[in-house]
Amino acid sequence: MENCIFCKVVKRELSAEIVYEDNEILAFRDINPQAPIHILIIPKKHIGSLNEIEIDDINLIGKIFIVAKNIAKQFKIDSSGYRIVLNTNFGAGQSVYHIHFHLLGGRFFRWPPG
Ligand code: 5GP
Ligand code: ZN
């Protein structure tokens, strides 16, 4: 989608530190990390937010969690623990409207989140 920064990362029009890629999914380091490990995992296909996912996206969204646990293992945070965050719309702090899963680790996370 035009003017979507994460679509631009997918098309390599915007640089990012990519840590994983396959034909459907891309993962790269967040530019403003909130934890020692902060990776964004996105579908290459433009989906604006969780509100826009369709039943046909089940496999894609499910695969993102397989990618997430593999990246957690790769960065050695699978045992210590990690958090997956999916912000949806402004009230939850979504600022980029291309669905993305934050994979955060390397520090302790409090509950409930702020
Ligand atoms: P949201 O607030 O929508 O849940 O998360 C958007 C995330 O994208 C933020 O954590 C922000 O730091 C990150 N971000 C915004 N622009 C860029 C960028 O150009 N490159 C990278 N790598 N991350 C970005
Ligand atoms: Zn996009």
Side-chain angles (χ1 to χ4, degrees):
M1 177 174 274
E2 199 103 340
N3 293 327
C4 168
I5 58 168
F6 288 173
C7 282
K8 286 183 178 170
V9 172
V10 170
K11 290 184 278 182
R12 304 299 204 271
E13 292 171 8
L14 207 63
S15 69
E17 196 182 328
I18 291 166
V19 300
Y20 175 82
E21 179 170 26
D22 64 31
N23 58 335
E24 291 181 302
I25 294 167
L26 192 69
F28 49 95
R29 286 188 188 269
D30 195 293
I31 206 169
N32 183 24
Q34 302 302 312
I37 308 295
H38 187 170
I39 309 289
L40 300 174
I41 307 172
I42 68 168
K44 289 185 169 178
K45 168 188 168 184
H46 182 90
I47 301 172
S49 79
L50 188 63
N51 285 337
E52 291 176 26
I53 65 162
E54 308 279 356
I55 204 81
D56 286 349
D57 298 318
I58 281 178
N59 283 338
L60 177 60
I61 299 300
K63 195 173 155 194
I64 283 175
F65 285 91
I66 298 291
V67 168
K69 70 136 187 175
N70 288 341
I71 294 173
K73 192 165 188 189
Q74 179 187 334
F75 283 88
K76 298 184 169 43
I77 53 171
D78 53 323
S79 298
S80 56
Y82 56 93
R83 185 170 287 180
I84 308 280
V85 174
L86 170 53
N87 295 322
T88 302
N89 272 348
F90 64 94
Q94 185 174 6
S95 60
V96 177
Y97 283 80
H98 179 131
I99 195 170
H100 51 280
F101 295 73
H102 298 257
L103 169 60
L104 299 142
R107 69 169 171 85
F108 185 82
F109 297 102
R110 273 188 282 275
W111 192 262

